[in-house]
């Protein structure tokens, strides 16, 4: 059995939202920054890290497209999920006043989610690789006219002052992360009331109404499908794979019946993970996808 590293990998610079998620969920583990999502996956696959914290979707920006391709092709499995409210802090070099700012640096999504705030102040938005990277850039360049929009954690890591907090244009900005592990294991219900999630991908057979028929088993068995997304494989419009999240455990009788019917109408079904639903789901009114 490989030796544990006590590290959890993530994509981005130290101080990124993914870093915050790692520290919130696994405070006892060492966050391991990686340049790309592929590197974060590879760190777990090669044993350099025990887990990976990967963003999979955001309420404002939508799905993280790369992950829907990387996850099915990897040897990793989803063992948990976490929902992180996203907030952006306006940060500058120590002592810089608001009147000195001319440019604001951040990830393209962050700039878009703070667009009204930036325009109101007549600042020039400048795209950076990621939010924490923007904070790091401001700290290194030492230009008093530069500011960054980044998570709170980045200010302490890079020695920056926060001039204004939570400057995003909307309040309902939430990112869902999945926790990935190399070990293939389905979580068990700790008690009958524990809400479980099952994530899987599938490809339908090339027959009329195949998707409609494949989905019928979930409806007739009362299984709630919280997400259903399609994406093309290999750049071909005819090769479509579907990604889905459902409530329940494959060992549940009704879920088992629904999955059995799904397999009848599909070419391939692969379960990517079975894990406890995050408590955040209890505060949301999720309907069928």
């Amino acid at each position: 059995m490989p030796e544990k590293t006590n590290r959890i990998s993530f994509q981005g610079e130290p101080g990124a939202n993914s870093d915050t998620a790692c520290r919130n969920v696994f405070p006892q583990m060492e966050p391991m920054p990686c340049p790309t999502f592929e590197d974060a996956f590879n760190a777990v696959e090669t044993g350099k890290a025990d887990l990976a914290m990967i963003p999979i979707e955001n309420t404002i920006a939508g799905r993280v497209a790369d992950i829907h391709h990387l996850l099915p092709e990897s040897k990793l499995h989803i063992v948990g999920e976490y929902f992180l409210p996203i907030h952006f802090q306006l940060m500058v070099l120590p002592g810089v006043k608001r009147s000195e700012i001319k440019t604001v640096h951040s990830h393209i999504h962050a700039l878009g989610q703070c667009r009204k705030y930036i325009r109101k102040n007549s600042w020039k938005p400048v795209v950076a690789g990621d939010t924490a990277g923007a904070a790091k850039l401001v700290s290194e360049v030492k230009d008093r006219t530069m500011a960054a929009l980044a998570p709170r954690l980045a200010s302490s890591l890079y020695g920056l002052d926060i001039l204004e907090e939570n400057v995003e244009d909307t309040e309902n900005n939430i990112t869902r992360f999945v926790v990935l592990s190399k070990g293939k294991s389905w979580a068990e219900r700790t008690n009958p009331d524990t809400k479980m999630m099952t994530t899987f991908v599938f490809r339908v057979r090339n027959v009329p109404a195949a998707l409609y028929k494949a989905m019928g088993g979930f409806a007739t068995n009362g299984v709630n499908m919280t997400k259903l997304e399609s994406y093309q494989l290999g750049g071909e419009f005819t090769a479509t794979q579907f990604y889905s999240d459902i409530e329940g455990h494959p060992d549940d009788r009704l879920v088992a019946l629904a999955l059995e019917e799904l397999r009848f109408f599909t070419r391939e079904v692969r379960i990517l993970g079975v894990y406890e639903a995050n408590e955040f789901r209890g505060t949301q009114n999720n309907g069928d996808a």
Side-chain angles (χ1 to χ4, degrees):
M1 191 172 184
E3 186 176 340
K4 294 291 185 181
T5 66
N6 201 41
R7 287 194 290 266
I8 178 168
S9 64
F10 69 92
Q11 185 276 326
E13 294 281 356
N17 283 311
S18 295
D19 188 0
T20 298
C22 290
R23 295 169 189 245
N24 288 354
V25 182
F26 300 101
Q28 76 283 7
M29 297 185 75
E30 176 190 350
M32 177 181 174
C34 299
T36 67
F37 286 124
E38 289 93 336
D39 293 327
F41 275 69
N42 185 256
V44 180
E45 291 174 345
T46 58
K48 296 176 183 176
D50 301 329
L51 301 172
M53 180 71 72
I54 303 294
I56 197 166
E57 58 188 315
N58 175 268
T59 52
I60 306 297
R63 72 182 185 186
V64 182
D66 289 352
I67 306 308
H68 287 72
H69 290 281
L70 289 171
L71 187 53
E73 295 175 2
S74 77
K75 299 176 182 177
L76 305 185
H77 306 274
I78 301 174
V79 295
E81 64 175 355
Y82 177 63
F83 293 81
L84 177 69
I86 303 299
H87 299 291
F88 299 108
Q89 323 301 324
L90 179 71
M91 51 190 72
V92 294
L93 292 169
V96 168
K97 295 182 173 54
R98 204 184 171 87
S99 58
E100 297 178 69
I101 299 173
K102 293 182 180 179
T103 60
V104 177
H105 301 248
S106 198
H107 186 272
I108 189 169
H109 286 164
L111 294 174
Q113 292 161 22
C114 302
R115 185 175 60 253
K116 295 178 183 177
Y117 175 74
I118 296 171
R119 187 187 303 126
K120 181 181 71 174
N121 288 282
S122 301
W123 294 325
K124 178 183 177 182
V126 181
V127 176
D130 60 57
T131 53
K136 182 180 180 182
L137 179 68
V138 170
S139 70
E140 291 176 344
V141 174
K142 301 194 183 305
D143 182 342
R144 295 177 65 88
T145 68
M146 293 170 57
L149 293 171
R152 183 180 304 278
L153 176 60
S155 67
S156 58
L157 291 180
Y158 299 111
L160 301 178
D161 287 350
I162 294 178
L163 284 187
E164 193 167 352
E165 301 179 337
N166 304 344
V167 300
E168 59 276 0
D169 296 335
T170 59
E171 295 180 359
N172 62 334
N173 189 351
I174 299 165
T175 294
R176 177 188 175 218
F177 292 84
V178 290
V179 181
L180 304 181
S181 172
K182 191 174 182 179
K184 183 179 180 180
S185 61
W186 290 359
E188 298 181 359
R189 289 184 187 275
T190 54
N191 65 66
D193 297 326
T194 300
K195 181 183 287 188
M196 305 296 295
M197 299 297 298
T198 299
T199 296
F200 57 92
V201 290
F202 65 94
R203 296 174 65 181
V204 296
R205 297 183 186 280
N206 188 21
V207 296
L211 179 60
Y212 175 79
K213 294 174 181 176
M215 294 293 94
F218 296 97
T220 56
N221 288 289
V223 176
N224 187 28
M225 181 170 289
T226 61
K227 179 167 290 295
L228 176 64
E229 293 187 338
S230 64
Y231 53 100
Q232 312 309 130
L233 295 176
E236 299 180 10
F237 288 108
T238 56
T240 303
Q241 184 157 272
F242 294 87
Y243 169 101
S244 182
D245 295 327
I246 60 171
E247 293 180 354
H249 193 290
D251 291 341
D252 297 343
R253 178 176 170 273
L254 295 178
V255 173
L257 289 172
L259 289 173
E260 181 181 351
E261 191 164 337
L262 173 68
R263 289 188 174 93
F264 183 79
F265 292 105
T266 56
R267 295 170 52 191
E268 176 188 7
V269 178
R270 181 184 167 200
I271 293 179
L272 301 180
V274 180
Y275 48 96
E276 287 192 17
N278 185 265
E279 59 186 13
F280 178 84
R281 288 187 181 273
T283 67
Q284 304 298 298
N285 293 318
N286 282 334
D288 285 355

